[in-house]
Amino acid sequence: NAGVTQTPKFRILKIGQSMTLQCAQDMNHNYMYWYRQDPGMGLKLIYYSVGAGITDKGEVPNGYNVSRSTTEDFPLRLELAAPSQTSVYFCASSAFSNQPQHFGDGTRLSIL
Amino acid sequence: AQSVAQPEDQVNVAEGNPLTVKCTYSVSGNPYLFWYVQYPNRGLQFLLKYITGDNLVKGSYGFEAEFNKSQTSFHLKKPSALVSDSALYFCAVRDENNDMRFGAGTRLTVKP
């Protein structure tokens, strides 16, 4: 029972590089979310999607992009990595907006 | 805009003693309230939720939470703490616009 799978688990980038964080869920959930977790700051919503083809900005979307071509996948793109994007990134999904979210184990990203 | 506050960064209790992790919220309309737990190097795991109904909500691993509308609080409780309960706990609130906000987290340490 995989749930939400995130890859890679760890990554180090140089300033200005780009990369895509992958997220896949096998629960047929409509809603998917990307968060970043910084120490002592809780989780901040970056982007979310309410279904395939529909995405919207969260609280901290600058520097990121997303797409949702299928129900299962919700990749997060960093185009020009900056040190301020060093964080732990979590993907989550839920069946409906008022239902509990299921989280992946995170991607730890360092930008040097 | 809605918000959620966890006034304690750290809570220490002895094994076998009752524990309380505090959460207060501010939201327009009826709140949807959640508690999640995070173990090291893992994503958040759902513990319990309040949407409507009884003010005392029972969840996973013997945890419960009491919704208090007049005090706008949703404190997490457990009658007898275990060392294995040591983790990071997050309160979250979703309002009628489906915007989700997480608290900054409270680190619970249960000492043998």
Side-chain angles (χ1 to χ4, degrees):
Chain A
N1 201 8
V4 178
T5 302
Q6 291 184 239
T7 56
K9 293 187 184 301
F10 306 94
R11 185 73 183 267
I12 297 175
L13 285 181
K14 295 182 179 179
I15 295 171
Q17 286 185 322
S18 61
M19 78 163 293
T20 299
L21 283 66
Q22 301 291 344
C23 175
Q25 53 96 5
D26 62 359
M27 296 170 283
N28 201 32
H29 284 169
N30 294 314
Y31 290 75
M32 296 189 75
Y33 314 83
W34 274 107
Y35 295 93
R36 58 177 290 170
Q37 183 180 28
D38 300 308
M41 299 293 291
L43 277 74
K44 302 290 186 184
L45 181 65
I46 305 171
Y47 271 95
Y48 67 98
S49 168
V50 301
I54 306 171
T55 63
D56 208 348
K57 296 178 180 179
E59 189 179 356
V60 290
N62 291 343
Y64 307 95
N65 279 300
V66 293
S67 59
R68 182 103 181 263
S69 57
T70 67
T71 298
E72 294 79 17
D73 300 301
F74 190 42
L76 177 72
R77 179 85 176 162
L78 282 70
E79 291 294 348
L80 290 172
S84 61
Q85 293 177 306
T86 293
S87 189
V88 182
Y89 291 84
F90 287 100
C91 179
S93 72
S94 65
F96 301 101
S97 62
N98 63 352
Q99 293 301 305
Q101 295 181 14
H102 297 255
F103 284 79
D105 284 338
T107 294
R108 284 150 186 82
L109 181 63
S110 294
I111 298 163
L112 306 175
Chain B
Q2 81 279 20
S3 65
V4 58
Q6 295 181 240
E8 300 160 317
D9 293 336
Q10 175 103 22
V11 171
N12 298 314
V13 299
E15 188 175 29
N17 283 359
L19 69 87
T20 299
V21 182
K22 296 180 180 178
C23 172
T24 60
Y25 66 91
S26 172
V27 66
S28 57
N30 296 320
Y32 297 157
L33 296 157
F34 302 82
W35 274 102
Y36 290 84
V37 60
Q38 185 180 31
Y39 297 101
N41 300 314
R42 300 299 302 274
L44 277 66
Q45 298 177 30
F46 168 74
L47 278 178
L48 50 81
K49 68 177 179 180
Y50 173 84
I51 294 179
T52 187
D54 290 340
N55 290 341
L56 185 64
V57 179
K58 294 189 181 298
S60 306
Y61 312 120
F63 284 94
E64 59 189 26
E66 185 171 10
F67 172 66
N68 188 316
K69 188 172 183 177
S70 63
Q71 297 185 2
T72 60
S73 66
F74 189 56
H75 301 332
L76 181 70
K77 300 182 179 183
K78 187 173 182 180
S80 178
L82 300 173
V83 173
S84 58
D85 292 331
S86 298
L88 193 55
Y89 290 81
F90 290 95
C91 182
V93 62
R94 180 182 295 283
D95 70 8
E96 292 179 332
N97 295 321
N98 293 325
D99 289 333
M100 187 80 134
R101 290 283 189 265
F102 285 84
T106 298
R107 185 164 300 281
L108 173 67
T109 301
V110 181
K111 298 182 179 178

